[in-house]
Amino acid sequence: MHTILSRTHRPHFLGKAVDCVASVHLPSGAMCQKTAVKHPSSQMPSCDFKPDSYQGMSKERLLEIRKQNCHPMTMKVTYYRRPVFIHQGYMQWLWDVDGKRYLDLFAGVATVSVGHCHPRVNEAAVKQLKHLWHTTAIYIHPQIQEYAEKLVSLLPEPLKVVYLTNSGSEANDLATLMARVHTGNYDIITLRGSYHGGSPLALGLTSNTAYKYPVASGFGCHNTMCPDVFRGVWGGSHCRDSPVQTIRECSCSPGHCQANDRYIEQLKETFDTTVPHRIAAFFGEPIQGVGGAVQYPKNYLKETYKLVREKGGICIADEVQTGFGRTGGHFWGFQGHDVIPDMVTMAKGIANGFPMGAVVTTEEIARSFGKGLHFNTFGGNPFACAIASSVLDTIAEDRLQENCAVVGTYLLTELAKLRDKYEIVGDVRGKGLQIGVEMVTDKASCKPLPPEAMAEIFEDTKDMGVLIGKGGIYGQTFRIKPPMCITKDDVDFFLAVFDQALQNYTERR
């Protein structure tokens, strides 16, 4: 593990180039005329599924209602200059109302875990829908017990008590309350750049101005420096648990990471200056999601957990985006850091897009929380539990965790070639299918690529048939978090499209 003293340029490599949209050649109108596709014979991978013909409202009417009757934020997050009007999905594919097919590499913000409308999950949903939609957890129905037992079997001891919620924000709210009740302490520490939800309490945990309002929220929440080994003050070429490291040079002896030491010193300074001697908890994503797939030095969480527990706090792993096999090497992101948290929060991929979340904790913490009454009307809904149970079965039967490791590693290493080819690609990072590509004006300064430039590349990628996401404090990172069923052929298609979009931008400068 090493630390960086300076940045260096590396030789250029030719990235793979493939091509196309919806099983036909790339539409010439989608791109600048002077930026021809390198291999025009290549096409989007085939798909046997035939979507239904769209028979609904016109796009104009949909936009009109969106502007007039949906909350204003829906217009802010439409993402594209020319919006995508999604009609249907199947596995890694989406179709718009005009019948155009897209390769979905964002999965509804890392939420569609096993694939859009996966037949096995659909079958489980229909079966439960015909049997029982809802009853309260006041009654004992089999679905909640069956799911709880199945879920905790995938977690290490002593994590064995499940609280089911409706979302990740609610799960993090509940975890915050439980931590304070159990410890008798109040203050909570998170990392800068983190995202833990949009509810009034979770906004205190979240450290990103874009999500903040000028009102009081999340009292007792404090942020410490994020140990970002690419954009941060310290970092090196062996810091993180990823097939791809930064391009920063190192001066560390083998087995020692100066960057980790420096970031731990910053955490200790937070303890010495910002919080009382006793705290309630530390919240951390094993890999930051909305923050742009930011990874930490390998031992950072391990040392942080030790320090937090010495301060009387508990350690909470936010697995909303990293859980359920997405990181490939492990089922849970925290396992890649060789730690066992006191509490795990989860949502998104838990039910393949059906609204659901969970908190899993220890019997000791659960007993503390049992001194009061906590009840959730929809948590543990039999319909949600049946879907979530089927998702766990599907991850195992389709070997999706293994697919994340194999296909994700391939994608990361191929993206690293594009980093070396283009000056504007500053960093490629992640594990499995939790990937970030950070864009810069140049590698020497690492100044974030401006929003208008990001939008150009983003739009071109969409027009060529691939949907990706964006993140990072400055919106400078492309987020690639597809359904976990994607293939190497899909990856090759995306690499060609992304290569072409980067080339188009470079030539238009």
Side-chain angles (χ1 to χ4, degrees):
M1 296 184 293
H2 294 27
T3 281
I4 269 259
L5 299 180
S6 64
R7 302 189 181 273
T8 181
H9 296 280
R10 291 189 175 183
H12 289 201
F13 294 86
L14 289 176
K16 288 194 174 184
V18 213
D19 74 295
C20 190
V21 199
S23 65
V24 293
H25 292 172
L26 278 171
S28 59
M31 307 301 300
C32 186
Q33 293 299 318
K34 66 179 180 179
T35 56
V37 178
K38 293 180 181 178
H39 295 290
S41 62
S42 299
Q43 295 182 328
M44 176 180 277
S46 62
C47 174
D48 294 335
F49 182 82
K50 302 299 181 185
D52 299 329
S53 176
Y54 178 69
Q55 303 294 328
M57 297 179 184
S58 68
K59 289 188 282 188
E60 292 74 19
R61 180 60 179 149
L62 290 170
L63 271 181
E64 182 182 358
I65 295 172
R66 190 176 179 93
K67 290 176 181 177
Q68 292 180 357
N69 304 119
C70 297
H71 67 81
M73 287 296 170
T74 60
M75 294 307 299
K76 259 190 172 182
V77 296
T78 300
Y79 249 16
Y80 298 105
R81 298 189 194 107
R82 296 179 299 280
V84 179
F85 294 78
I86 296 299
H87 165 50
Q88 195 165 353
Y90 179 75
M91 302 305 284
Q92 64 267 50
W93 307 106
L94 290 170
W95 286 263
D96 68 14
V97 297
D98 297 317
K100 179 177 176 178
R101 179 159 59 104
Y102 296 89
L103 176 61
D104 181 11
L105 295 191
F106 200 33
V109 193
T111 299
V112 179
S113 48
V114 300
H116 293 282
C117 299
H118 191 292
R120 192 179 295 114
V121 180
N122 277 8
E123 182 181 353
V126 170
K127 180 179 178 181
Q128 186 60 45
L129 196 62
K130 291 178 178 179
H131 192 69
L132 180 67
W133 282 31
H134 175 75
T135 187
T136 171
I138 289 172
Y139 308 116
I140 300 175
H141 60 84
Q143 286 76 23
I144 187 171
Q145 278 70 227
E146 290 171 359
Y147 180 67
E149 182 180 45
K150 190 179 292 187
L151 181 62
V152 298
S153 73
L154 296 165
L155 286 150
E157 290 283 351
L159 297 164
K160 59 194 310 181
V161 181
V162 180
Y163 294 79
L164 294 172
T165 67
N166 305 313
S167 70
S169 293
E170 186 186 353
N172 285 335
D173 278 359
L174 178 57
T176 299
L177 176 60
M178 294 173 74
R180 286 171 169 164
V181 169
H182 177 68
T183 64
N185 304 324
Y186 192 69
D187 293 80
I188 293 176
I189 294 175
T190 63
L191 298 175
R192 292 176 194 163
S194 62
Y195 180 82
H196 296 288
S199 65
L201 183 56
L203 280 176
L205 304 172
T206 294
S207 176
N208 189 321
T209 298
Y211 297 93
K212 300 287 189 178
Y213 292 88
V215 296
S217 64
F219 291 108
C221 298
H222 312 276
N223 309 127
T224 192
M225 183 181 285
C226 177
D228 181 345
V229 297
F230 171 72
R231 181 162 296 283
V233 183
W234 305 286
S237 59
H238 293 84
C239 291
R240 61 196 183 199
D241 180 20
S242 173
V244 179
Q245 300 292 329
T246 71
I247 58 172
R248 301 175 82 167
E249 293 177 342
C250 298
S251 62
C252 296
S253 58
H256 183 69
C257 181
Q258 297 176 43
N260 183 68
D261 296 344
R262 299 294 181 267
Y263 288 118
I264 289 295
E265 286 172 6
Q266 290 296 310
L267 175 61
K268 289 178 178 178
E269 185 172 322
T270 300
F271 286 142
D272 292 339
T273 62
T274 309
V275 297
H277 291 295
R278 305 285 289 177
I279 66 171
F282 167 81
F283 258 93
E285 302 164 87
I287 300 174
Q288 284 191 346
V290 174
V294 175
Q295 292 180 280
Y296 327 127
K298 294 172 187 175
N299 285 330
Y300 180 81
L301 282 187
K302 196 167 189 176
E303 294 184 35
T304 294
Y305 276 27
K306 180 177 183 293
L307 292 170
V308 167
R309 286 166 175 155
E310 288 173 356
K311 292 287 183 179
I314 67 170
C315 301
I316 303 171
D318 181 334
E319 294 275 355
V320 169
Q321 294 197 32
T322 50
F324 299 94
R326 178 164 290 279
T327 59
H330 303 92
F331 200 81
W332 305 104
F334 68 78
Q335 293 171 313
H337 296 270
D338 191 25
V339 296
I340 297 178
D342 304 292
M343 198 178 295
V344 181
T345 62
M346 56 193 80
K348 290 190 181 291
I350 192 172
N352 205 42
F354 189 86
M356 188 176 180
V359 177
V360 183
T361 190
T362 67
E363 290 181 308
E364 181 185 5
I365 294 173
R367 279 195 300 271
S368 297
F369 195 58
K371 295 172 184 176
L373 178 63
H374 174 79
F375 180 74
N376 180 322
T377 300
F378 294 104
N381 173 284
F383 190 47
C385 288
I387 293 172
S389 183
S390 178
V391 166
L392 291 181
D393 293 341
T394 300
I395 291 171
E397 291 171 22
D398 290 359
R399 302 176 68 179
L400 294 180
Q401 181 183 333
E402 180 181 334
N403 193 60
C404 286
V406 173
V407 176
T409 299
Y410 173 69
L411 175 52
L412 278 161
T413 53
E414 292 299 309
L415 281 170
K417 295 176 184 178
L418 296 183
R419 177 200 62 191
D420 295 332
K421 179 179 178 181
Y422 292 100
E423 180 69 11
I424 58 172
V425 182
D427 194 32
V428 170
R429 54 181 176 256
K431 283 183 66 179
L433 291 175
Q434 174 94 345
I435 296 171
V437 180
E438 184 156 349
M439 308 298 293
V440 297
T441 57
D442 61 272
K443 287 183 171 70
S445 71
C446 283
K447 182 180 178 182
L449 197 66
E452 58 273 14
M454 292 290 292
E456 280 188 44
I457 300 168
F458 202 55
E459 197 85 16
D460 268 2
T461 302
K462 178 261 294 182
D463 288 344
M464 287 188 282
V466 181
L467 304 179
I468 57 178
K470 285 187 290 187
I473 295 175
Y474 311 104
Q476 81 282 15
T477 303
F478 291 120
R479 297 166 64 197
I480 302 165
K481 302 173 182 186
M484 299 190 297
C485 58
I486 67 162
T487 68
K488 282 189 175 181
D489 286 344
D490 300 330
V491 166
D492 285 335
F493 173 65
F494 162 66
L495 290 166
V497 165
F498 192 54
D499 187 8
Q500 186 66 53
L502 295 172
Q503 181 179 322
N504 291 345
Y505 172 76
T506 301
E507 293 183 0
R508 287 195 292 257
R509 292 175 69 181

